[in-house]
Amino acid sequence: MSAPLLSTRDLTVQFEGLPVLQNVSLDIARGEIVTVVGPNGSGKSTLLKALLGTVPPESGSVQRAPAISIGYVPQKLALDASLPISVARFLSLPKRQSAARIAAQLDRVGVAGLQSHPMQGLSGGQFQRVLLARALLMSPDLLILDEATQGLDQPGVARFYRLIEEVRRDMGCAVLMVSHDLHVVMSASDRVICLNGHVCCQGTPHVVRSAPEYRALFGLGTEGTLALYQHEHDHAHDAEGTHIHGPDCAHAKATLEHSHD
């Protein structure tokens, strides 16, 4: 078995003496998709920052594979409206990229031909796809996404997640993703980590959705609607990315309608 791309052991992070993460241990393997879920304030974004090395741990460790390349898509990015910048120029910061590479990644993420458009004039969905293209220009071994679908409508969210599945399949990179919406756990997630300052539980979506720790954390009763589900490829989607047939579709639809953060 190959060594993990990234690992933490007993990772603890504090802000102003208060613990945000305590004794978090996890491994990210090559090529797998891992989704982190948890309520607001559970330390999800702090975990990603610690993994990226922008937040120092109080104790514990983060180990990264030698020469690992990490692509990062932030939760949001504010650009100065008084300093307009084209998509192509943005994608060449901080490292200059060739016109051919820029065109190829914009095409990959579904926004071909936007090179000359100003970043400030993009729609929310276009902006997030450009951020993803920028991360992919790193040829990442690991792609990290921090609530990258924030601000998108449900059809846009569904399209973005399908795109991430395609990226993993085509590029072979691992994906570590934070989601604030329980009903949008990625269809191809190999593993889900439920976080609330510490790792409450982890495993496949089917395992985690039945875990008492998960159900207690999100206020789900023993017979309540499950907000976490795994996308099965035995159905079709309509134009807005919604299930329209298959044995689990009624359940998935109820989940979408009745699940809330």
Side-chain angles (χ1 to χ4, degrees), residues 8-9 18 23 41 54 119 131 166 183 187 190 236 238 242 247:
T8 71
R9 292 294 177 265
L18 299 176
N23 301 318
T54 60
M119 287 292 297
L131 290 181
E166 294 169 5
H183 63 270
S187 62
D190 301 301
D238 64 16
T242 303

Side-chain angles (χ1 to χ4, degrees), residues 96-109:
R96 177 174 290 277
Q97 302 288 342
S98 70
R101 292 199 73 216
I102 288 173
Q105 291 305 336
L106 289 176
D107 183 60
R108 179 190 292 276
V109 302

Side-chain angles (χ1 to χ4, degrees), residues 2-8 26-31 51 62-70 140-142 174:
S2 62
L5 276 175
L6 186 147
S7 301
T8 71
L26 57 84
D27 295 316
I28 307 297
R30 295 179 183 274
L51 299 181
V62 178
Q63 299 89 33
R64 303 173 189 87
I68 185 176
S69 175
I70 298 177
D141 303 298
L142 173 62

Side-chain angles (χ1 to χ4, degrees), residues 191-242:
R191 206 153 37 90
V192 175
I193 297 173
C194 186
L195 191 72
N196 191 26
H198 64 282
V199 176
C200 302
C201 56
Q202 63 177 307
T204 66
H206 290 295
V207 168
V208 171
R209 72 182 183 183
S210 300
E213 299 89 347
Y214 165 79
R215 303 181 73 86
L217 186 62
F218 293 107
L220 299 175
T222 57
E223 300 299 329
T225 300
L226 293 176
L228 183 65
Y229 69 96
Q230 187 154 20
H231 183 127
E232 302 292 348
H233 295 281
D234 56 359
H235 57 268
H237 295 268
D238 64 16
E240 295 187 342
T242 303

Side-chain angles (χ1 to χ4, degrees), residues 6-14 19-27 47 50-51 55-63 195 197-199 202:
L6 186 147
S7 301
T8 71
R9 292 294 177 265
D10 299 320
L11 179 69
T12 295
V13 177
Q14 296 185 351
V20 179
L21 296 173
Q22 291 184 293
N23 301 318
V24 173
S25 296
L26 57 84
D27 295 316
L47 173 61
L51 299 181
V55 170
E58 179 71 19
S59 61
S61 63
V62 178
Q63 299 89 33
L195 191 72
H198 64 282
V199 176
Q202 63 177 307

Side-chain angles (χ1 to χ4, degrees), residues 49 57 76 81 106 126 141 156 160 174 186 202 213 237 249:
K49 291 174 183 177
K76 55 187 174 182
L106 289 176
Q126 289 173 330
D141 303 298
F160 192 86
M186 283 184 63
Q202 63 177 307
E213 299 89 347
H237 295 268
C249 292

Side-chain angles (χ1 to χ4, degrees), residues 111 114 117 119 121-131 152:
V111 287
L114 286 184
H117 286 237
M119 287 292 297
L122 299 179
S123 69
Q126 289 173 330
F127 193 92
Q128 289 305 110
R129 286 171 182 258
V130 169
L131 290 181
L152 301 185

